[in-house]
């Protein structure tokens, strides 16, 4: 059932999908060209993904693809939350974190969203869905304003360009240097983001297994169990201080000296 994706656990494989795969999925599906997951922090992308898998449920005219301020972004997430409510999707949206544009928070939400969309119709996209047309109907064509600004900038540069050869080549070399620096910065930022994601996943995995060990410890502390040999053997392993040597032999020794614990096969 698709709604089951709303409650997938943090150790689910969905949260190990890389940012490059997420970006490819967004850009291919919605015909966009975003370079970083945090560029989707406005909530507009998420709204349109839901519009694709649930036609007619999302009021696209209320979705602002040009949202820049947190207030405008929050309005998009209100639309998304209303859609979740209509579809009875019990997924909490941490709006305050997402609108800050932090990569990990946005990546985690997009990972969940991909898992949810993949659960609808087996992940088969609607062939009749036209993402550009749907954004146009929303009244906010993403990229149109950016294209106009880019054109005006190029025109202004052409008018203001100095005609001397030295200035021309000097300016060109400066642009090349800046472009290389920007590329290096972007690559380093992506590597840093990947390291942060790896660390975040490792911390989640650590907490997951720690909680299991804590449950075992609590069980061993029950009054009717704490004096049993098997309990003492488990505690010997749990509380072993030396990380280089295994506490298993000592734990087995406790059991071996408790004949009542092991049934007599000859009986």
């Amino acid at each position: 059932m698709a709604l089951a994706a709303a409650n997938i656990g943090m150790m689910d494989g969905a949260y190990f999908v890389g940012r490059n795969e997420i970006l490819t999925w967004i850009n291919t599906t919605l015909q966009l060209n975003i370079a970083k997951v945090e560029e989707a922090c406005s909530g507009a992308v998420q709204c349109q993904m839901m519009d694709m898998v649930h036609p007619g449920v999302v009021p696209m005219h209320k979705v602002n693809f040009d949202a820049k301020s947190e207030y405008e972004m929050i309005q998009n997430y209100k639309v998304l939350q209303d859609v979740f409510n209509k579809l009875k999707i019990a997924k909490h949206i941490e709006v305050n974190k997402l609108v800050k544009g932090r990569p990990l928070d946005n990546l985690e939400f997009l990972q969940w969203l991909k898992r949810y969309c993949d659960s609808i119709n087996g992940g088969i996209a609607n062939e009749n869905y036209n993402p550009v047309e749907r954004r146009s109907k929303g009244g906010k064509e993403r990229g149109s304003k950016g294209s106009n600004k880019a054109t005006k900038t190029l025109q202004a540069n052409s008018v203001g360009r100095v005609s001397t050869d030295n200035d021309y080549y000097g300016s060109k070399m400066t642009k090349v240097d800046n472009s290389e620096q920007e590329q290096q910065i972007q690559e380093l930022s992506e590597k840093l983001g990947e390291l942060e994601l790896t660390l975040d996943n490792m911390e989640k995995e650590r907490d997951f297994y720690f909680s299991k060990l804590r449950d075992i410890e609590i069980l061993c502390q029950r009054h009717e169990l704490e004096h049993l040999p098997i309990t003492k053997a488990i505690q010997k392993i749990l509380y072993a201080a030396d990380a280089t040597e295994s506490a298993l032999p000592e734990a087995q020794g406790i059991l071996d000296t408790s004949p009542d614990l092991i049934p007599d096969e000859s009986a």
Side-chain angles (χ1 to χ4, degrees), residues 99-126:
V99 297
K100 299 297 182 183
R102 293 187 294 192
L104 288 179
D105 292 323
N106 281 274
L107 176 61
E108 184 177 299
F109 188 63
L110 290 170
Q111 287 170 328
W112 173 87
L113 182 65
K114 185 178 188 304
R115 173 63 181 274
Y116 177 81
C117 291
D118 288 345
S119 71
I120 305 296
N121 297 325
I124 300 176
N126 182 0

Side-chain angles (χ1 to χ4, degrees), residues 3-8 10 15 46 77-78 80-85 88-99 102 105-113 116:
L3 296 184
N7 297 314
I8 59 176
M10 292 307 298
Y15 292 107
Q46 293 86 330
Y77 283 109
K78 285 184 178 180
L80 185 63
Q81 187 64 69
D82 288 342
V83 171
F84 282 8
N85 293 340
K88 293 181 170 47
I89 299 175
K91 171 64 177 176
H92 175 63
I93 304 176
E94 296 184 323
V95 179
N96 292 334
K97 291 184 179 180
L98 295 172
V99 297
R102 293 187 294 192
D105 292 323
N106 281 274
L107 176 61
E108 184 177 299
F109 188 63
L110 290 170
Q111 287 170 328
W112 173 87
L113 182 65
Y116 177 81

Side-chain angles (χ1 to χ4, degrees), residues 216-231:
I216 294 173
E217 182 183 40
I218 293 173
L219 187 63
C220 290
Q221 291 173 347
R222 292 185 57 172
H223 179 69
E224 65 271 25
L225 299 177
E226 61 181 350
H227 299 297
L228 296 178
I230 185 65
T231 301

Side-chain angles (χ1 to χ4, degrees), residues 226-244:
E226 61 181 350
H227 299 297
L228 296 178
I230 185 65
T231 301
K232 293 180 180 179
I234 292 173
Q235 289 176 331
K236 177 66 69 174
I237 295 174
L238 283 177
Y239 301 140
D242 192 344
T244 61

Side-chain angles (χ1 to χ4, degrees), residues 193-255:
E194 290 175 358
L195 290 174
E196 290 177 346
L197 178 61
T198 300
L199 177 61
D200 186 58
N201 287 332
M202 290 177 64
E203 289 177 346
K204 290 175 182 176
E205 187 172 1
R206 176 204 63 194
D207 294 342
F208 174 78
Y209 288 109
F210 178 80
S211 66
K212 297 294 184 185
L213 294 174
R214 177 57 180 156
D215 289 343
I216 294 173
E217 182 183 40
I218 293 173
L219 187 63
C220 290
Q221 291 173 347
R222 292 185 57 172
H223 179 69
E224 65 271 25
L225 299 177
E226 61 181 350
H227 299 297
L228 296 178
I230 185 65
T231 301
K232 293 180 180 179
I234 292 173
Q235 289 176 331
K236 177 66 69 174
I237 295 174
L238 283 177
Y239 301 140
D242 192 344
T244 61
E245 295 185 8
S246 173
L248 183 58
E250 289 187 58
Q252 289 177 331
I254 295 175
L255 299 180

Side-chain angles (χ1 to χ4, degrees), residues 8-258:
I8 59 176
M10 292 307 298
M11 295 306 297
D12 189 275
Y15 292 107
F16 293 91
V17 177
R19 66 185 63 212
N20 289 334
E21 184 176 345
I22 293 293
L23 290 172
T24 300
W25 171 63
I26 293 173
N27 290 331
T28 302
T29 305
L30 300 183
Q31 297 181 28
L32 292 172
N33 188 29
I34 65 175
K36 301 177 182 179
V37 292
E38 55 265 37
E39 291 180 31
C41 67
S42 72
V45 166
Q46 293 86 330
C47 286
Q48 188 165 15
M49 281 295 186
M50 294 300 293
D51 180 64
M52 181 192 67
V53 296
H54 294 292
V57 176
V58 181
M60 288 296 290
H61 65 281
K62 293 184 179 180
V63 180
N64 183 1
F65 275 87
D66 294 320
K68 296 294 186 295
S69 68
E70 289 190 9
Y71 172 78
E72 292 174 323
M73 296 178 186
I74 289 172
Q75 301 309 308
N76 284 341
Y77 283 109
K78 285 184 178 180
V79 173
L80 185 63
Q81 187 64 69
D82 288 342
V83 171
F84 282 8
N85 293 340
K86 289 179 183 178
L87 298 173
K88 293 181 170 47
I89 299 175
K91 171 64 177 176
H92 175 63
I93 304 176
E94 296 184 323
V95 179
N96 292 334
K97 291 184 179 180
L98 295 172
V99 297
K100 299 297 182 183
R102 293 187 294 192
L104 288 179
D105 292 323
N106 281 274
L107 176 61
E108 184 177 299
F109 188 63
L110 290 170
Q111 287 170 328
W112 173 87
L113 182 65
K114 185 178 188 304
R115 173 63 181 274
Y116 177 81
C117 291
D118 288 345
S119 71
I120 305 296
N121 297 325
I124 300 176
N126 182 0
E127 295 181 355
N128 298 322
Y129 187 79
N130 187 326
V132 177
E133 181 181 351
R134 287 296 293 164
R135 288 195 293 276
S136 297
K137 288 183 178 180
K140 296 289 183 179
E141 179 72 41
R142 181 180 176 87
S144 61
K145 291 186 177 181
S147 299
N148 292 335
K149 290 181 180 179
T151 302
K152 291 179 181 178
T153 301
L154 290 174
Q155 291 174 348
N157 289 340
S158 298
V159 172
R161 182 179 298 164
V162 181
S163 59
T164 64
D165 290 342
N166 289 338
D167 286 345
Y168 170 75
Y169 287 110
S171 175
K172 188 172 183 179
M173 290 299 295
T174 300
K175 289 180 180 178
V176 171
D177 291 342
N178 290 340
S179 177
E180 290 178 353
Q181 290 177 357
E182 289 176 359
Q183 183 177 358
Q184 291 177 351
I185 292 173
Q186 182 176 350
E187 290 176 356
L188 291 173
S189 297
E190 290 178 355
K191 289 181 180 179
L192 178 61
E194 290 175 358
L195 290 174
E196 290 177 346
L197 178 61
T198 300
L199 177 61
D200 186 58
N201 287 332
M202 290 177 64
E203 289 177 346
K204 290 175 182 176
E205 187 172 1
R206 176 204 63 194
D207 294 342
F208 174 78
Y209 288 109
F210 178 80
S211 66
K212 297 294 184 185
L213 294 174
R214 177 57 180 156
D215 289 343
I216 294 173
E217 182 183 40
I218 293 173
L219 187 63
C220 290
Q221 291 173 347
R222 292 185 57 172
H223 179 69
E224 65 271 25
L225 299 177
E226 61 181 350
H227 299 297
L228 296 178
I230 185 65
T231 301
K232 293 180 180 179
I234 292 173
Q235 289 176 331
K236 177 66 69 174
I237 295 174
L238 283 177
Y239 301 140
D242 192 344
T244 61
E245 295 185 8
S246 173
L248 183 58
E250 289 187 58
Q252 289 177 331
I254 295 175
L255 299 180
D256 292 340
T257 56
S258 304

